[in-house]
Amino acid sequence: MTKSGHMACGVQERMNGHVKSMYFQLCTQTAATLLSLLLMMVVDSTKTVAASRTQECGYPLLPTLKLARLVQKESVDLIKTYKASQGDMSELICKVSLNGIPDPNISGLEPSEQLSSIHSRLQEFSPHFKRVYDQQTDLQLPDSQLLEDLKRIRTRSRYLDTQISSVYQNLFPNSPPLLPDPTGGATSLPPPQNVFQQKVYGCVVLKTYKELLSNISKYLRTLKNQKCGINARRLNIFF
Amino acid sequence: MVCVRVVQLAVLACLAHAIPATEVLSYLLTAPQSPKLPIGTNFTATCFIKNTTEVTADDLFWRLAQKQIPKEQYRKISDTALNVTFLVTEETPRWLFCFSNKKSAHVQLNSEKYLHGIFIKKDYFPKKPKNLTCIAKQKKDIISPIIHCEWEPKHLRHWDFSTEYTVHLNIHAYKSLNFSTNESSADINTEVFPNFMTLDIWVEAKNALGKVESDRLTVEANSLTKTDPPSHINIISENIFSKSLLLNWTRPIDKTRLNLIYEVRFASEGSENWSYVPQADTNFDIQSFRLQNLRPYTVYITQVRCKNERLGYWSDWSDSSSKRTPASKPTGKPDVWQIVSESEASDGYQVQLLSKEPELANGEIIRYEIRIQDYKEKRQNNASEWETVRVTGNRSEITELKNVHLTDQTTHIAKVVAVNSEGKSPEATIVIPGKEHALSPVEMLKVSSEGRKLCVEWSAPNTSGISEFVVQWANHNVFDWQREKRNTRKAYIQGDFESFVRYNVSVYPLYWIGWIGKPTHIEAYLEQGAPLNGPTKIISKPKCKEAHLTWEGIPLEKQRGFITNYTIFYNDGTKTEGMCHIIKRIDHFSFIMTFLVFAAVTVGSNTFSYTLKNLARDTRYETWIGASTIKGSTNGSSHSFSTLKYAPDEIEGIVVAVSLCFLFVVVLAMLICMYKRDVIKKSFWPEIPNPGESTIGTWSPDYPVKAETPSESCLSGISVLDVDVYDGKSVFEEDKSCLPLKKDKYMSEEHSSGIGGSSCMSSPRQSVSDSDEGGDMADTTASTVQYSSVVASSGYKGQTPSLQPQQAVFSRSESTQPLLESEEHPDMLPLEGSRQSQRFHHLGLSHCQGNSDNPNQLEMEAKALDFCPVEEDSEEMSADGQPDEWLASGPISSYMPQLGGYRQQ
């Protein structure tokens, strides 16, 4: 095909202007056909890549990312509610740092390690949420919004953990699944505290949890970008 | 199946063996007991005979409740076992019995032991739940953790086993929730709504016969959400964009919980149809949107709703929010039209130019500018000045632009421009042609009502060049028009029409540049009804046998339809002949039905007078008129009239006839008088010999009365009898016997006295008539002579003069005939000419009496009689037959003439 086109171009040198024009058109059509074919091949390969990416970036990665954002927002709102319900010195108590609180950072270098780390952190926070809920139950009225929010964020944390596990299972189907640990893993709960310590403890737990969620969101966004590429936003629409 | 049978038989064998023979309650045993049967399947039961040889399987029967099952459905297994198979239906009774009715004493006496039954429980297999839908609604600023699920069937009929539904909700890799119910819906509490989590939801239906599951619903939890509608819809109008409005709103729920998409709809104020923004334009999580391609200066109402992206339930529509788009200069022409009315001047007509605002006014029209000019001048470019008509005060839809007087011959062109705050509209032009230049009208115009609208149809004239049509309609207080395209032949008039109101519909063809063609008119009703009332003002002109009725038409507003005819009802109250209608009227108080019969005449709708004929004379009639439309008729108020006894021409005829008869009689009498003058003269004025010339006078000068011998020729109505003056009785007898003879004799006399002549012409009966007859006679003629019988003295008989006054007996007849004047006034006898002797007597005895032939003298004598009471009295007394004294002293007179006619006796 390329050859015939070349011959046509050689012949055109012997033609008058009108014929020259005709052969120029023929060359243009040939080039357009080639270009179209090339484009089709590119698009097809892109679709193949997109399809493979879709498998990874779709369910459950994107919902997990959205859920992480939701939980992060709820944690921010919860801290506000918490501060509002702790009376005076609420700003002060949240600036104190405590030991024994789970690390909000995600460890590991590989995604599997990072996802596993997220799972562990979320597991670790669960007994702390329970402790804070119990402490605040003594401090708040039964129908307090704070108690409801604490209860919700604890459940929501489990939802997120479930989703992380699903992502892990989806990305690493041959690895052992991330199993829930009701004991909270390696974390240790603080000893009995006075009310002020309870308030400080609760706020530190919530703040740390917020940091964790911030890190999870960032990580999942990065992971999404890795798995879904530049079309992630568009794909986000469909999933 | 075979295994089941084997098991059944084994169980039955064990049961039969286990029961001691001495405690036999029944010789029959059925299996299976208390089966749970699905409706629509076949069921087989077995009946065994135990502990007896009295009956065999051939003696066994099956029945469902009281109905025996046909033997075709039996299957004999052995001599002691019998099967039955039947289809279980909804109608299958609950009890199945095996029994024996063998005709043996043992069986008959122990029939209850030869009966055994099976209690059947039946139902359908549970139906698979379908169309499972679940929804989680927004509660405050989050999604409610309670998920409501529904499925079908909504209502299932249960027979013996109720179906229990269990809803399973599995949060992927987290936990499963379930909820059981007997209903077709359930609420599942998830504690915290699992946003972005994947859910598996299904329903399991279960009853005693089995269980079945619905299809699984695997969705992201957000797909089950239904949020509140968007709030705070705010519309921004920007003056530089007259065709655009900017919307923004507040999302109902945080973006982190749900990604929403939206739908926007809008409508101009007053419109019932919404315009929807294409879904592709709002399929994003947005909070503002710009509506474009709107009409300037128009109020738009806008609503927004939302749902979770991809799947989800649309929220309800938000509250409406409205805003007007900015104004711009008019882009449409004003709708100019005319009302033509006749002018007082004979050479033209009056035209009122009207205008509606342009369809695309794009603002408030504050004024119109109009220019009217002669069409020829326009062609010569002699442009006249624009006149300004300000739209002030009450802004009605139609603005009156100008009233102009146009001549028939001239064609005028009117140009109108509408102006708003932003600028002028394009020019609208109509050409009002002179009568000579009017172009063809539309044809076959007809109007019909469809629903609450009038539909106009027409056919276009054959001429070309039609640009559009104008449909105009009007009634007494409404005038409007609408324009239709050139190819339109049928149009619905856009107006609020009232029922029972007449509308004048006109269709004008408009030719190029707005040249108005001739109109075609038609009248129409949206809906017709019976008239509000019938004709009320009835004027009648009754005659003898007919009456002319005139009435006024019903006012247009009360007609309520096209009058098809008037019906004249009339009745005379009693007569029924010729009546053609009967009305039944019920008296509400007494509930007695009375019938009113009347006649009816139907006349056309254009008739306002009618003559009722064949009426009875002198009769009172009641009439009323009913007006009819196609929807019914209504009677007007009643009116009464009486026919005349005689027609005026009849009276005239009678008067003329009587007059002619009278005239004829008079003429006849005159003719008779003329031609029979002599006879009449002789009859009424006979020639009476002058007694003065009689020779009797010379014969007895002292007694002139008696000196004259009565001549037979002079005897007339008076009979002179020779009787003894004292023997009145003999006189009467003689008189009675001889009177007819005398009469005959006198009647034969040709020359008789007046009285005698009268007597001769009278019948004998007259002469002897009684007082009653005399009364009649007195009625008939005043000249009838009253007969008298005069009994003369003996002296007179012998015509011997006597010196003594003659004693005469005056005896009157019984006749009631009036006396002649001469009879009552003897002094007039000479005038009447036959009472010679009496006359003489009077002449000799009464100084009151004259003796003259002169009528004047007679009159004078009559007057003189009034001064003679003695004579009058004497007459009356003689009538009583008493006065002997009078006889002695009274005048010797045989009769008295009546004065002035007769006197009733």
Side-chain angles (χ1 to χ4, degrees), chain B residues 20 40 169 287 369 431 467 476 698:
Chain B
L169 190 149
Q287 284 184 267
E369 293 180 358
V431 179
S467 60
H476 55 280
T698 57

Side-chain angles (χ1 to χ4, degrees), chain A residues 100-169:
Chain A
I101 305 300
D103 186 1
N105 297 312
I106 301 167
S107 60
L109 298 174
E110 295 297 322
S112 60
E113 294 171 352
Q114 292 164 333
L115 287 172
S116 180
S117 173
I118 292 171
H119 168 71
S120 299
R121 296 290 178 269
L122 291 173
Q123 294 277 325
E124 288 168 8
F125 268 97
S126 184
H128 291 279
F129 283 138
K130 187 174 184 308
R131 172 62 67 86
V132 174
Y133 182 83
D134 292 340
Q135 290 174 345
Q136 290 298 319
T137 303
D138 297 334
L139 299 175
Q140 306 295 327
L141 293 172
D143 57 348
S144 154
Q145 180 66 40
L146 176 62
L147 294 178
E148 190 177 334
D149 289 350
L150 283 170
K151 191 176 176 182
R152 183 190 303 133
I153 204 162
R154 189 179 167 199
T155 305
R156 196 76 80 182
S157 180
R158 290 178 187 162
Y159 288 162
L160 181 59
D161 186 25
T162 305
Q163 288 293 98
I164 293 291
S165 299
S166 296
V167 171
Y168 180 86
Q169 190 68 39

